[in-house]
Amino acid sequence: MSTTYRDPMGVSDMIVPLSMLAPHLLEPFATAVYVAFEPGADQDATLAAINDELAAVAPGAHATDRDGHLAQVATQAGEDEWIILMVVAILGGYAGVSAINVLIGSTMSRRREFALLRLAGARGSQIAGALLVECLLVATTAVIAGSAIAAVTMVAYGYLLTDTIWLPFTGATFLVIVACAYLAAAIGTLAPARTAMKADALEAVR
């Protein structure tokens, strides 16, 4: 055994010599080799020399600097991002449909209330305006509560993985989720309310 390190997730990982690991791999080749330059070394000239040697012994392999390597790692990590997005879309879609169904049932059950307001002199646009404010309050409460719960979970998970407190945040994705929440609230409230107010007010209060 060469090195052990502390893993905050409690997984017993270790680093072993390549000669010990190679017999257990289908392709016993290193995916990357890290090279440290001596102080004062010409990085560009060294990379060019390494690439010249690699072209002769390993066509297709090439040496790059730290920034280029990190870009490659980010690209490889993003290749499977569509799977995560698909799972999020499925779960989010199911939650959205469930929320819309609950809001539709809640709004349709208030037909008598809408009829009484119309008999009292309220116009349909006034009732719709009040419902719009109501659904905005509900959606805003849901966004704040959901964001707080997600932030606490992500900070805790990030601390578990990196041993540091940080919050990964993607503004565009967050805005899309917020917009979907407000859209679901509007669909589940305003659409059934319009249907409910089409009924005759006197018939609805009976």
Side-chain angles (χ1 to χ4, degrees):
M1 182 183 298
S2 175
T3 305
T4 61
Y5 64 95
R6 184 177 66 86
D7 188 346
M9 295 187 69
V11 180
S12 299
D13 293 336
M14 63 185 68
I15 300 176
V16 298
L18 182 59
S19 58
M20 182 185 299
L21 184 64
H24 305 282
L25 300 177
L26 294 177
E27 295 183 357
F29 304 105
T31 57
V33 177
Y34 297 95
V35 179
F37 294 151
E38 294 183 354
D42 188 341
Q43 178 175 322
D44 294 335
T46 305
L47 288 176
I50 294 175
N51 283 321
D52 291 340
E53 295 294 330
L54 288 175
V57 298
H62 68 281
T64 184
D65 58 8
R66 180 178 183 275
D67 294 335
H69 174 63
L70 292 178
Q72 291 176 349
V73 172
T75 300
Q76 293 174 355
E79 290 178 353
D80 295 332
E81 187 177 357
W82 67 272
I83 299 177
I84 299 176
L85 294 177
M86 182 180 66
V87 173
V88 171
I90 293 174
L91 296 178
Y94 178 79
V97 171
S98 300
I100 290 175
N101 286 336
V102 171
L103 290 172
I104 289 176
S106 175
T107 303
M108 293 300 293
S109 65
R110 300 167 62 184
R111 286 176 293 182
R112 180 181 173 84
E113 175 186 340
F114 299 152
L116 290 174
L117 290 173
R118 290 162 60 195
L119 291 175
R123 296 191 300 271
S125 58
Q126 292 175 324
I127 299 175
L131 290 174
L132 177 61
V133 174
E134 182 180 306
C135 79
L136 289 177
L137 290 175
V138 171
T140 301
T141 302
V143 168
I144 294 174
S147 300
I149 295 172
V152 171
T153 304
M154 294 175 69
V155 168
Y157 191 67
Y159 181 78
L160 181 64
L161 291 177
T162 64
D163 206 21
T164 57
I165 297 177
W166 65 292
L167 177 62
F169 179 77
T170 305
T173 304
F174 177 76
L175 291 178
V176 170
I177 295 174
V178 171
C180 290
Y182 280 101
L183 179 62
I187 293 175
T189 302
L190 298 181
R194 181 179 180 182
T195 301
M197 287 188 291
K198 287 182 177 180
D200 182 80
L202 291 176
E203 292 292 334
V205 296
R206 290 182 179 179

